[in-house]
Every structure is written in structure tokens, then in C-alpha cells.
Amino acid sequence: MDITKDKCTICNETNFSKIQYGNHLNKINRTYIKHSIASIILPILRLFHSRYYNWLSMKMLFSPFFHIMKCNFCGYGKYGRQISSVLVEKYYNTVYWNAAGLPSAMWHQEALYLENPRANGQYHCVYEWIKQYDELNILEIGAGSALFSRVLKHKHSREVHLSAIEPGNGWHSYYASIGISLLAKYFPFESSQKFHYIHTSHWFEHVLDIDGALNVIRGILVENGLLFIEVPNCNDEYFLLDTGDTPHIHFFTKKSLCILLENNGFKTLTIDEYGLTNREEY
């Protein structure tokens, strides 16, 4: 949602709702209490040049003191705070839970990926489209443990080349050990390579510029290449629950995601909702 224009950047409708970030029910919940206390402590830490100041300021980047602007037509929502790319990178380098990687003793355990429900579920979703390729050049963005890529390489009967983009330093030795090429820490990046398939799992909701990201992705896909996007299902039920939003910037529904992709030159082959409903998970 472009707040300055008061219209949805995906569908251009002007009817939207304002929802408190991380506090959908607008009550004094744990998130609100923690950020209230932190807002008192932060100026004191800054005054004394404490080494904890930067850490706490990053923790405050996604705050219930700001709102999500949610389109009432397509359902797309966006965090209302203006954040620079420098701060986003700093956040993921300092406080994000996924930065440390896995213990090396787990790296070569097949059960790590072959028994992972999400990775295997994603594989079954895309198998019908990727089985056509004799050779697969795959890029996983925001890869983390890259479990999907490992499942695919294990199950695909033909040659597979794996690449990743991942900011967390804890994953880099892991990739080298299991044969995944680390192309960059951050997206977008410059690439002369083309990919048959690009995989994004719970990454797209963290991107600052979604149209810009899709434009770069389209440019590095082969003709008729495949893009997989998995995001949280932020339907009406999601905003009726006191769920946590951190550190999501964008909030998608099936409708808004389809419109966004079509606006950016993609064709939706399939889209669906999987797993527990928001209420069941909450």
C-alpha cells in the first residue's frame, strides 16, 4: 500500500483498513508491552553509547507503533514504516533467527531434508512442471537450509545444479559442504546465469521492492522458466487473530498475489492454500 497516494499498489483500489502491526486486535499484548519497555530503554542505551543500542534498535524496527495498510479489495497489506535497504540488511545480519545455520553434524543427514514435511510438500507441488527438464539450473533465494533444493536434487533423475542467495553467514560453509553455489548474500544481484526454476519459500514477504524483485527474477529465468513463491496466507482470518507479523513487510492473499504476478508479466499455473488454517495454527 502506497500510503502517500492512499491506494493499493497492486490493484489501485482506494478502500483500505489500518491494522496495528503485530497487534491486530489493538490491545495490550506481549508485543506491545515489549516494545513499550524497549522504547524507554533505547534512549538511555544511546546516551551511554551502549553496545546493546544497535541490537535493540534492530529489534524495534518492526513495531506495533506502526500500522499495516490493508487493501479491502485484493487483500494486500504493507507495513507502513519506511525502511531503507541498509537497515533491512543490518536487521538480517544482527538479529534474525535464521542467520546462525545448522550444527555441522547435521549437514549430511538425509533425514534432515527427506523427512521434512514442507520441503517434500513443495516438491510435490512443482514436480509436474519440473520433470520436463533434462537438466535443471535452480536458484533458491533466501535459502537458509535449502531443504527443498536438496530434496529436488535427491529425487530428480536428471542433472541438477543448485545455487543459493542467503544473507546468514552461518550457512555459507554448509553450502560448500553439500555442493550448493552461493551466488550472493542479498537480492537483487547481478547474474549472467539463467535459471530454469527459481524457488522462494517465505522470502517474498520480506522484500522491500516486490515489483523490482519480480523484474529481476523475470530477467534471470529462461524462457518459460518456473517461479515458486510460498508466503503466509494473510486472509481475513489472519487479521482477526493476534498473530505475530515480525519481520514481514508485505501481506498477501491468493487474489493479491495473482494480480501482482500478472501485472509483472507472469502467468499463474497454480495457486492454493496448504497446511493448517491461521486459526488452527494460532
Side-chain angles (χ1 to χ4, degrees), residues 109-141:
Q109 295 177 7
E110 288 192 343
L112 176 68
Y113 54 95
L114 291 182
E115 297 179 10
N116 183 270
R118 173 176 285 172
N120 283 276
Q122 292 171 347
Y123 173 79
H124 287 298
C125 282
V126 303
Y127 168 73
E128 286 299 319
W129 286 278
I130 61 175
K131 68 180 182 180
Q132 63 181 295
Y133 294 107
D134 292 328
E135 183 178 352
L136 267 171
N137 197 18
I138 292 175
L139 174 63
E140 187 164 350
I141 306 175

PDB file of all heavy atoms in Angstrom, residues 109-141:
ATOM      1  N   GLN A 109      23.051 -35.541   7.046  1.00  0.00           N
ATOM      2  CA  GLN A 109      21.991 -36.465   7.432  1.00  0.00           C
ATOM      3  C   GLN A 109      20.841 -36.367   6.434  1.00  0.00           C
ATOM      4  O   GLN A 109      20.196 -35.317   6.324  1.00  0.00           O
ATOM      5  CB  GLN A 109      21.493 -36.150   8.842  1.00  0.00           C
ATOM      6  CG  GLN A 109      22.529 -36.353   9.939  1.00  0.00           C
ATOM      7  CD  GLN A 109      22.003 -35.961  11.315  1.00  0.00           C
ATOM      8  OE1 GLN A 109      20.827 -35.647  11.486  1.00  0.00           O
ATOM      9  NE2 GLN A 109      22.876 -35.984  12.312  1.00  0.00           N
ATOM     10  N   GLU A 110      20.554 -37.436   5.704  1.00  0.00           N
ATOM     11  CA  GLU A 110      19.494 -37.405   4.695  1.00  0.00           C
ATOM     12  C   GLU A 110      18.131 -37.117   5.306  1.00  0.00           C
ATOM     13  O   GLU A 110      17.271 -36.515   4.672  1.00  0.00           O
ATOM     14  CB  GLU A 110      19.464 -38.722   3.923  1.00  0.00           C
ATOM     15  CG  GLU A 110      20.623 -38.900   2.958  1.00  0.00           C
ATOM     16  CD  GLU A 110      20.409 -40.068   2.015  1.00  0.00           C
ATOM     17  OE1 GLU A 110      19.544 -40.918   2.310  1.00  0.00           O
ATOM     18  OE2 GLU A 110      21.108 -40.126   0.984  1.00  0.00           O
ATOM     19  N   ALA A 111      17.936 -37.542   6.547  1.00  0.00           N
ATOM     20  CA  ALA A 111      16.644 -37.310   7.201  1.00  0.00           C
ATOM     21  C   ALA A 111      16.339 -35.828   7.342  1.00  0.00           C
ATOM     22  O   ALA A 111      15.166 -35.429   7.391  1.00  0.00           O
ATOM     23  CB  ALA A 111      16.630 -37.975   8.579  1.00  0.00           C
ATOM     24  N   LEU A 112      17.384 -35.002   7.382  1.00  0.00           N
ATOM     25  CA  LEU A 112      17.202 -33.559   7.529  1.00  0.00           C
ATOM     26  C   LEU A 112      16.267 -33.011   6.460  1.00  0.00           C
ATOM     27  O   LEU A 112      15.401 -32.179   6.747  1.00  0.00           O
ATOM     28  CB  LEU A 112      18.563 -32.857   7.445  1.00  0.00           C
ATOM     29  CG  LEU A 112      18.555 -31.327   7.475  1.00  0.00           C
ATOM     30  CD1 LEU A 112      18.110 -30.817   8.841  1.00  0.00           C
ATOM     31  CD2 LEU A 112      19.934 -30.777   7.115  1.00  0.00           C
ATOM     32  N   TYR A 113      16.417 -33.467   5.217  1.00  0.00           N
ATOM     33  CA  TYR A 113      15.578 -32.970   4.134  1.00  0.00           C
ATOM     34  C   TYR A 113      14.556 -33.980   3.636  1.00  0.00           C
ATOM     35  O   TYR A 113      13.431 -33.612   3.276  1.00  0.00           O
ATOM     36  CB  TYR A 113      16.441 -32.459   2.966  1.00  0.00           C
ATOM     37  CG  TYR A 113      17.457 -33.425   2.423  1.00  0.00           C
ATOM     38  CD1 TYR A 113      17.175 -34.224   1.328  1.00  0.00           C
ATOM     39  CD2 TYR A 113      18.728 -33.515   2.991  1.00  0.00           C
ATOM     40  CE1 TYR A 113      18.119 -35.100   0.813  1.00  0.00           C
ATOM     41  CE2 TYR A 113      19.673 -34.382   2.484  1.00  0.00           C
ATOM     42  CZ  TYR A 113      19.374 -35.183   1.397  1.00  0.00           C
ATOM     43  OH  TYR A 113      20.315 -36.047   0.900  1.00  0.00           O
ATOM     44  N   LEU A 114      14.894 -35.281   3.656  1.00  0.00           N
ATOM     45  CA  LEU A 114      13.953 -36.278   3.134  1.00  0.00           C
ATOM     46  C   LEU A 114      12.747 -36.484   4.044  1.00  0.00           C
ATOM     47  O   LEU A 114      11.696 -36.954   3.599  1.00  0.00           O
ATOM     48  CB  LEU A 114      14.673 -37.611   2.922  1.00  0.00           C
ATOM     49  CG  LEU A 114      15.706 -37.627   1.796  1.00  0.00           C
ATOM     50  CD1 LEU A 114      16.311 -39.017   1.661  1.00  0.00           C
ATOM     51  CD2 LEU A 114      15.079 -37.185   0.477  1.00  0.00           C
ATOM     52  N   GLU A 115      12.875 -36.097   5.310  1.00  0.00           N
ATOM     53  CA  GLU A 115      11.755 -36.233   6.249  1.00  0.00           C
ATOM     54  C   GLU A 115      11.160 -34.879   6.624  1.00  0.00           C
ATOM     55  O   GLU A 115      10.362 -34.787   7.561  1.00  0.00           O
ATOM     56  CB  GLU A 115      12.213 -36.975   7.509  1.00  0.00           C
ATOM     57  CG  GLU A 115      12.662 -38.409   7.231  1.00  0.00           C
ATOM     58  CD  GLU A 115      13.141 -39.123   8.472  1.00  0.00           C
ATOM     59  OE1 GLU A 115      12.951 -38.588   9.597  1.00  0.00           O
ATOM     60  OE2 GLU A 115      13.717 -40.230   8.340  1.00  0.00           O
ATOM     61  N   ASN A 116      11.508 -33.836   5.864  1.00  0.00           N
ATOM     62  CA  ASN A 116      10.980 -32.510   6.158  1.00  0.00           C
ATOM     63  C   ASN A 116       9.645 -32.313   5.434  1.00  0.00           C
ATOM     64  O   ASN A 116       9.611 -32.335   4.198  1.00  0.00           O
ATOM     65  CB  ASN A 116      11.978 -31.438   5.726  1.00  0.00           C
ATOM     66  CG  ASN A 116      11.503 -30.043   6.068  1.00  0.00           C
ATOM     67  OD1 ASN A 116      10.833 -29.391   5.281  1.00  0.00           O
ATOM     68  ND2 ASN A 116      11.860 -29.572   7.254  1.00  0.00           N
ATOM     69  N   PRO A 117       8.536 -32.120   6.147  1.00  0.00           N
ATOM     70  CA  PRO A 117       7.214 -32.044   5.511  1.00  0.00           C
ATOM     71  C   PRO A 117       7.084 -30.879   4.527  1.00  0.00           C
ATOM     72  O   PRO A 117       6.517 -31.041   3.443  1.00  0.00           O
ATOM     73  CB  PRO A 117       6.247 -31.877   6.689  1.00  0.00           C
ATOM     74  CG  PRO A 117       6.995 -32.391   7.874  1.00  0.00           C
ATOM     75  CD  PRO A 117       8.433 -32.077   7.620  1.00  0.00           C
ATOM     76  N   ARG A 118       7.618 -29.707   4.878  1.00  0.00           N
ATOM     77  CA  ARG A 118       7.458 -28.553   3.992  1.00  0.00           C
ATOM     78  C   ARG A 118       8.230 -28.758   2.694  1.00  0.00           C
ATOM     79  O   ARG A 118       7.696 -28.544   1.605  1.00  0.00           O
ATOM     80  CB  ARG A 118       7.915 -27.267   4.679  1.00  0.00           C
ATOM     81  CG  ARG A 118       7.917 -26.070   3.726  1.00  0.00           C
ATOM     82  CD  ARG A 118       8.268 -24.778   4.437  1.00  0.00           C
ATOM     83  NE  ARG A 118       7.151 -24.306   5.238  1.00  0.00           N
ATOM     84  CZ  ARG A 118       7.225 -23.278   6.081  1.00  0.00           C
ATOM     85  NH1 ARG A 118       8.362 -22.631   6.243  1.00  0.00           N
ATOM     86  NH2 ARG A 118       6.163 -22.898   6.773  1.00  0.00           N
ATOM     87  N   ALA A 119       9.495 -29.161   2.789  1.00  0.00           N
ATOM     88  CA  ALA A 119      10.308 -29.352   1.592  1.00  0.00           C
ATOM     89  C   ALA A 119       9.704 -30.395   0.666  1.00  0.00           C
ATOM     90  O   ALA A 119       9.655 -30.217  -0.559  1.00  0.00           O
ATOM     91  CB  ALA A 119      11.731 -29.739   1.990  1.00  0.00           C
ATOM     92  N   ASN A 120       9.221 -31.490   1.229  1.00  0.00           N
ATOM     93  CA  ASN A 120       8.624 -32.545   0.417  1.00  0.00           C
ATOM     94  C   ASN A 120       7.274 -32.118  -0.147  1.00  0.00           C
ATOM     95  O   ASN A 120       6.936 -32.464  -1.279  1.00  0.00           O
ATOM     96  CB  ASN A 120       8.496 -33.833   1.231  1.00  0.00           C
ATOM     97  CG  ASN A 120       9.820 -34.557   1.360  1.00  0.00           C
ATOM     98  OD1 ASN A 120      10.214 -35.316   0.487  1.00  0.00           O
ATOM     99  ND2 ASN A 120      10.532 -34.316   2.459  1.00  0.00           N
ATOM    100  N   GLY A 121       6.518 -31.352   0.624  1.00  0.00           N
ATOM    101  CA  GLY A 121       5.251 -30.832   0.118  1.00  0.00           C
ATOM    102  C   GLY A 121       5.468 -29.891  -1.056  1.00  0.00           C
ATOM    103  O   GLY A 121       4.747 -29.939  -2.061  1.00  0.00           O
ATOM    104  N   GLN A 122       6.481 -29.034  -0.949  1.00  0.00           N
ATOM    105  CA  GLN A 122       6.810 -28.121  -2.046  1.00  0.00           C
ATOM    106  C   GLN A 122       7.244 -28.899  -3.291  1.00  0.00           C
ATOM    107  O   GLN A 122       6.865 -28.551  -4.417  1.00  0.00           O
ATOM    108  CB  GLN A 122       7.908 -27.155  -1.603  1.00  0.00           C
ATOM    109  CG  GLN A 122       7.459 -26.165  -0.544  1.00  0.00           C
ATOM    110  CD  GLN A 122       8.603 -25.352   0.037  1.00  0.00           C
ATOM    111  OE1 GLN A 122       9.771 -25.673  -0.163  1.00  0.00           O
ATOM    112  NE2 GLN A 122       8.272 -24.300   0.775  1.00  0.00           N
ATOM    113  N   TYR A 123       8.015 -29.953  -3.092  1.00  0.00           N
ATOM    114  CA  TYR A 123       8.450 -30.776  -4.216  1.00  0.00           C
ATOM    115  C   TYR A 123       7.248 -31.382  -4.947  1.00  0.00           C
ATOM    116  O   TYR A 123       7.184 -31.361  -6.178  1.00  0.00           O
ATOM    117  CB  TYR A 123       9.388 -31.883  -3.732  1.00  0.00           C
ATOM    118  CG  TYR A 123       9.735 -32.875  -4.812  1.00  0.00           C
ATOM    119  CD1 TYR A 123      10.689 -32.581  -5.777  1.00  0.00           C
ATOM    120  CD2 TYR A 123       9.091 -34.111  -4.877  1.00  0.00           C
ATOM    121  CE1 TYR A 123      11.003 -33.481  -6.786  1.00  0.00           C
ATOM    122  CE2 TYR A 123       9.393 -35.023  -5.877  1.00  0.00           C
ATOM    123  CZ  TYR A 123      10.341 -34.705  -6.828  1.00  0.00           C
ATOM    124  OH  TYR A 123      10.636 -35.595  -7.823  1.00  0.00           O
ATOM    125  N   HIS A 124       6.301 -31.895  -4.203  1.00  0.00           N
ATOM    126  CA  HIS A 124       5.115 -32.495  -4.827  1.00  0.00           C
ATOM    127  C   HIS A 124       4.277 -31.442  -5.560  1.00  0.00           C
ATOM    128  O   HIS A 124       3.618 -31.748  -6.554  1.00  0.00           O
ATOM    129  CB  HIS A 124       4.272 -33.226  -3.776  1.00  0.00           C
ATOM    130  CG  HIS A 124       4.887 -34.510  -3.314  1.00  0.00           C
ATOM    131  ND1 HIS A 124       5.121 -35.582  -4.145  1.00  0.00           N
ATOM    132  CD2 HIS A 124       5.355 -34.885  -2.100  1.00  0.00           C
ATOM    133  CE1 HIS A 124       5.684 -36.570  -3.472  1.00  0.00           C
ATOM    134  NE2 HIS A 124       5.839 -36.168  -2.217  1.00  0.00           N
ATOM    135  N   CYS A 125       4.322 -30.203  -5.085  1.00  0.00           N
ATOM    136  CA  CYS A 125       3.578 -29.123  -5.755  1.00  0.00           C
ATOM    137  C   CYS A 125       4.149 -28.817  -7.137  1.00  0.00           C
ATOM    138  O   CYS A 125       3.397 -28.467  -8.056  1.00  0.00           O
ATOM    139  CB  CYS A 125       3.625 -27.847  -4.909  1.00  0.00           C
ATOM    140  SG  CYS A 125       2.503 -27.850  -3.501  1.00  0.00           S
ATOM    141  N   VAL A 126       5.460 -28.922  -7.289  1.00  0.00           N
ATOM    142  CA  VAL A 126       6.097 -28.462  -8.528  1.00  0.00           C
ATOM    143  C   VAL A 126       6.574 -29.597  -9.426  1.00  0.00           C
ATOM    144  O   VAL A 126       7.002 -29.359 -10.558  1.00  0.00           O
ATOM    145  CB  VAL A 126       7.296 -27.527  -8.216  1.00  0.00           C
ATOM    146  CG1 VAL A 126       6.841 -26.343  -7.387  1.00  0.00           C
ATOM    147  CG2 VAL A 126       8.422 -28.272  -7.490  1.00  0.00           C
ATOM    148  N   TYR A 127       6.487 -30.843  -8.958  1.00  0.00           N
ATOM    149  CA  TYR A 127       7.049 -31.967  -9.698  1.00  0.00           C
ATOM    150  C   TYR A 127       6.530 -32.048 -11.124  1.00  0.00           C
ATOM    151  O   TYR A 127       7.300 -32.283 -12.067  1.00  0.00           O
ATOM    152  CB  TYR A 127       6.753 -33.273  -8.950  1.00  0.00           C
ATOM    153  CG  TYR A 127       7.054 -34.507  -9.777  1.00  0.00           C
ATOM    154  CD1 TYR A 127       8.368 -34.898 -10.019  1.00  0.00           C
ATOM    155  CD2 TYR A 127       6.017 -35.269 -10.334  1.00  0.00           C
ATOM    156  CE1 TYR A 127       8.648 -36.016 -10.788  1.00  0.00           C
ATOM    157  CE2 TYR A 127       6.286 -36.386 -11.105  1.00  0.00           C
ATOM    158  CZ  TYR A 127       7.614 -36.754 -11.330  1.00  0.00           C
ATOM    159  OH  TYR A 127       7.885 -37.852 -12.101  1.00  0.00           O
ATOM    160  N   GLU A 128       5.244 -31.851 -11.339  1.00  0.00           N
ATOM    161  CA  GLU A 128       4.646 -31.998 -12.667  1.00  0.00           C
ATOM    162  C   GLU A 128       5.253 -31.018 -13.672  1.00  0.00           C
ATOM    163  O   GLU A 128       5.291 -31.301 -14.865  1.00  0.00           O
ATOM    164  CB  GLU A 128       3.134 -31.796 -12.598  1.00  0.00           C
ATOM    165  CG  GLU A 128       2.384 -32.960 -11.975  1.00  0.00           C
ATOM    166  CD  GLU A 128       2.569 -34.266 -12.754  1.00  0.00           C
ATOM    167  OE1 GLU A 128       2.549 -34.217 -14.006  1.00  0.00           O
ATOM    168  OE2 GLU A 128       2.735 -35.313 -12.117  1.00  0.00           O
ATOM    169  N   TRP A 129       5.733 -29.872 -13.206  1.00  0.00           N
ATOM    170  CA  TRP A 129       6.280 -28.866 -14.118  1.00  0.00           C
ATOM    171  C   TRP A 129       7.782 -29.021 -14.316  1.00  0.00           C
ATOM    172  O   TRP A 129       8.286 -28.729 -15.397  1.00  0.00           O
ATOM    173  CB  TRP A 129       5.947 -27.464 -13.616  1.00  0.00           C
ATOM    174  CG  TRP A 129       4.499 -27.137 -13.841  1.00  0.00           C
ATOM    175  CD1 TRP A 129       3.909 -26.693 -15.003  1.00  0.00           C
ATOM    176  CD2 TRP A 129       3.436 -27.260 -12.908  1.00  0.00           C
ATOM    177  NE1 TRP A 129       2.557 -26.540 -14.842  1.00  0.00           N
ATOM    178  CE2 TRP A 129       2.233 -26.875 -13.552  1.00  0.00           C
ATOM    179  CE3 TRP A 129       3.365 -27.662 -11.569  1.00  0.00           C
ATOM    180  CZ2 TRP A 129       0.994 -26.877 -12.922  1.00  0.00           C
ATOM    181  CZ3 TRP A 129       2.138 -27.663 -10.936  1.00  0.00           C
ATOM    182  CH2 TRP A 129       0.965 -27.274 -11.615  1.00  0.00           C
ATOM    183  N   ILE A 130       8.490 -29.471 -13.280  1.00  0.00           N
ATOM    184  CA  ILE A 130       9.948 -29.538 -13.413  1.00  0.00           C
ATOM    185  C   ILE A 130      10.425 -30.855 -14.021  1.00  0.00           C
ATOM    186  O   ILE A 130      11.568 -30.931 -14.476  1.00  0.00           O
ATOM    187  CB  ILE A 130      10.650 -29.312 -12.049  1.00  0.00           C
ATOM    188  CG1 ILE A 130      10.255 -30.389 -11.043  1.00  0.00           C
ATOM    189  CG2 ILE A 130      10.376 -27.930 -11.520  1.00  0.00           C
ATOM    190  CD1 ILE A 130      11.013 -30.292  -9.737  1.00  0.00           C
ATOM    191  N   LYS A 131       9.588 -31.860 -14.076  1.00  0.00           N
ATOM    192  CA  LYS A 131      10.034 -33.162 -14.602  1.00  0.00           C
ATOM    193  C   LYS A 131      10.340 -33.096 -16.103  1.00  0.00           C
ATOM    194  O   LYS A 131      10.980 -33.989 -16.649  1.00  0.00           O
ATOM    195  CB  LYS A 131       8.993 -34.240 -14.327  1.00  0.00           C
ATOM    196  CG  LYS A 131       7.689 -34.090 -15.089  1.00  0.00           C
ATOM    197  CD  LYS A 131       6.736 -35.212 -14.743  1.00  0.00           C
ATOM    198  CE  LYS A 131       5.430 -35.105 -15.543  1.00  0.00           C
ATOM    199  NZ  LYS A 131       4.490 -36.200 -15.206  1.00  0.00           N
ATOM    200  N   GLN A 132       9.914 -32.012 -16.768  1.00  0.00           N
ATOM    201  CA  GLN A 132      10.147 -31.865 -18.212  1.00  0.00           C
ATOM    202  C   GLN A 132      11.612 -31.606 -18.541  1.00  0.00           C
ATOM    203  O   GLN A 132      12.061 -31.828 -19.658  1.00  0.00           O
ATOM    204  CB  GLN A 132       9.317 -30.701 -18.757  1.00  0.00           C
ATOM    205  CG  GLN A 132       9.713 -29.360 -18.146  1.00  0.00           C
ATOM    206  CD  GLN A 132       8.912 -28.190 -18.636  1.00  0.00           C
ATOM    207  OE1 GLN A 132       8.961 -27.842 -19.800  1.00  0.00           O
ATOM    208  NE2 GLN A 132       8.150 -27.582 -17.722  1.00  0.00           N
ATOM    209  N   TYR A 133      12.387 -31.112 -17.558  1.00  0.00           N
ATOM    210  CA  TYR A 133      13.751 -30.671 -17.839  1.00  0.00           C
ATOM    211  C   TYR A 133      14.758 -31.816 -17.764  1.00  0.00           C
ATOM    212  O   TYR A 133      14.795 -32.561 -16.779  1.00  0.00           O
ATOM    213  CB  TYR A 133      14.169 -29.581 -16.852  1.00  0.00           C
ATOM    214  CG  TYR A 133      13.395 -28.292 -16.999  1.00  0.00           C
ATOM    215  CD1 TYR A 133      12.431 -27.919 -16.062  1.00  0.00           C
ATOM    216  CD2 TYR A 133      13.623 -27.450 -18.073  1.00  0.00           C
ATOM    217  CE1 TYR A 133      11.723 -26.729 -16.193  1.00  0.00           C
ATOM    218  CE2 TYR A 133      12.924 -26.252 -18.212  1.00  0.00           C
ATOM    219  CZ  TYR A 133      11.974 -25.906 -17.269  1.00  0.00           C
ATOM    220  OH  TYR A 133      11.277 -24.730 -17.408  1.00  0.00           O
ATOM    221  N   ASP A 134      15.583 -31.935 -18.806  1.00  0.00           N
ATOM    222  CA  ASP A 134      16.675 -32.906 -18.784  1.00  0.00           C
ATOM    223  C   ASP A 134      17.792 -32.435 -17.855  1.00  0.00           C
ATOM    224  O   ASP A 134      18.477 -33.228 -17.231  1.00  0.00           O
ATOM    225  CB  ASP A 134      17.231 -33.108 -20.197  1.00  0.00           C
ATOM    226  CG  ASP A 134      16.234 -33.809 -21.099  1.00  0.00           C
ATOM    227  OD1 ASP A 134      15.464 -34.640 -20.581  1.00  0.00           O
ATOM    228  OD2 ASP A 134      16.214 -33.512 -22.301  1.00  0.00           O
ATOM    229  N   GLU A 135      17.983 -31.122 -17.802  1.00  0.00           N
ATOM    230  CA  GLU A 135      18.974 -30.529 -16.924  1.00  0.00           C
ATOM    231  C   GLU A 135      18.347 -29.336 -16.232  1.00  0.00           C
ATOM    232  O   GLU A 135      17.655 -28.538 -16.858  1.00  0.00           O
ATOM    233  CB  GLU A 135      20.207 -30.089 -17.716  1.00  0.00           C
ATOM    234  CG  GLU A 135      21.321 -29.525 -16.858  1.00  0.00           C
ATOM    235  CD  GLU A 135      22.552 -29.151 -17.671  1.00  0.00           C
ATOM    236  OE1 GLU A 135      22.583 -29.482 -18.876  1.00  0.00           O
ATOM    237  OE2 GLU A 135      23.466 -28.526 -17.107  1.00  0.00           O
ATOM    238  N   LEU A 136      18.563 -29.230 -14.931  1.00  0.00           N
ATOM    239  CA  LEU A 136      17.919 -28.180 -14.145  1.00  0.00           C
ATOM    240  C   LEU A 136      18.963 -27.275 -13.507  1.00  0.00           C
ATOM    241  O   LEU A 136      19.854 -27.741 -12.783  1.00  0.00           O
ATOM    242  CB  LEU A 136      17.060 -28.796 -13.041  1.00  0.00           C
ATOM    243  CG  LEU A 136      15.574 -29.036 -13.334  1.00  0.00           C
ATOM    244  CD1 LEU A 136      14.966 -29.855 -12.208  1.00  0.00           C
ATOM    245  CD2 LEU A 136      14.820 -27.729 -13.484  1.00  0.00           C
ATOM    246  N   ASN A 137      18.842 -25.989 -13.772  1.00  0.00           N
ATOM    247  CA  ASN A 137      19.645 -24.994 -13.091  1.00  0.00           C
ATOM    248  C   ASN A 137      18.706 -24.250 -12.143  1.00  0.00           C
ATOM    249  O   ASN A 137      17.801 -23.538 -12.589  1.00  0.00           O
ATOM    250  CB  ASN A 137      20.282 -24.035 -14.102  1.00  0.00           C
ATOM    251  CG  ASN A 137      21.438 -23.250 -13.505  1.00  0.00           C
ATOM    252  OD1 ASN A 137      21.984 -23.627 -12.464  1.00  0.00           O
ATOM    253  ND2 ASN A 137      21.823 -22.164 -14.142  1.00  0.00           N
ATOM    254  N   ILE A 138      18.919 -24.426 -10.843  1.00  0.00           N
ATOM    255  CA  ILE A 138      17.960 -23.954  -9.837  1.00  0.00           C
ATOM    256  C   ILE A 138      18.593 -22.897  -8.947  1.00  0.00           C
ATOM    257  O   ILE A 138      19.751 -23.015  -8.535  1.00  0.00           O
ATOM    258  CB  ILE A 138      17.488 -25.130  -8.957  1.00  0.00           C
ATOM    259  CG1 ILE A 138      16.651 -26.093  -9.787  1.00  0.00           C
ATOM    260  CG2 ILE A 138      16.689 -24.642  -7.770  1.00  0.00           C
ATOM    261  CD1 ILE A 138      16.264 -27.319  -9.025  1.00  0.00           C
ATOM    262  N   LEU A 139      17.811 -21.870  -8.648  1.00  0.00           N
ATOM    263  CA  LEU A 139      18.226 -20.845  -7.691  1.00  0.00           C
ATOM    264  C   LEU A 139      17.198 -20.788  -6.573  1.00  0.00           C
ATOM    265  O   LEU A 139      15.995 -20.630  -6.821  1.00  0.00           O
ATOM    266  CB  LEU A 139      18.314 -19.472  -8.370  1.00  0.00           C
ATOM    267  CG  LEU A 139      18.589 -18.278  -7.445  1.00  0.00           C
ATOM    268  CD1 LEU A 139      19.955 -18.410  -6.774  1.00  0.00           C
ATOM    269  CD2 LEU A 139      18.490 -16.962  -8.207  1.00  0.00           C
ATOM    270  N   GLU A 140      17.672 -20.926  -5.334  1.00  0.00           N
ATOM    271  CA  GLU A 140      16.801 -20.758  -4.172  1.00  0.00           C
ATOM    272  C   GLU A 140      17.195 -19.457  -3.478  1.00  0.00           C
ATOM    273  O   GLU A 140      18.334 -19.289  -3.046  1.00  0.00           O
ATOM    274  CB  GLU A 140      16.905 -21.950  -3.223  1.00  0.00           C
ATOM    275  CG  GLU A 140      15.891 -21.894  -2.092  1.00  0.00           C
ATOM    276  CD  GLU A 140      15.704 -23.212  -1.358  1.00  0.00           C
ATOM    277  OE1 GLU A 140      16.217 -24.248  -1.812  1.00  0.00           O
ATOM    278  OE2 GLU A 140      15.020 -23.188  -0.301  1.00  0.00           O
ATOM    279  N   ILE A 141      16.237 -18.527  -3.382  1.00  0.00           N
ATOM    280  CA  ILE A 141      16.503 -17.207  -2.806  1.00  0.00           C
ATOM    281  C   ILE A 141      16.057 -17.189  -1.345  1.00  0.00           C
ATOM    282  O   ILE A 141      14.949 -17.617  -1.024  1.00  0.00           O
ATOM    283  CB  ILE A 141      15.765 -16.106  -3.590  1.00  0.00           C
ATOM    284  CG1 ILE A 141      16.112 -16.171  -5.080  1.00  0.00           C
ATOM    285  CG2 ILE A 141      16.129 -14.732  -3.042  1.00  0.00           C
ATOM    286  CD1 ILE A 141      15.329 -15.180  -5.928  1.00  0.00           C
TER     287      ILE A 141
END
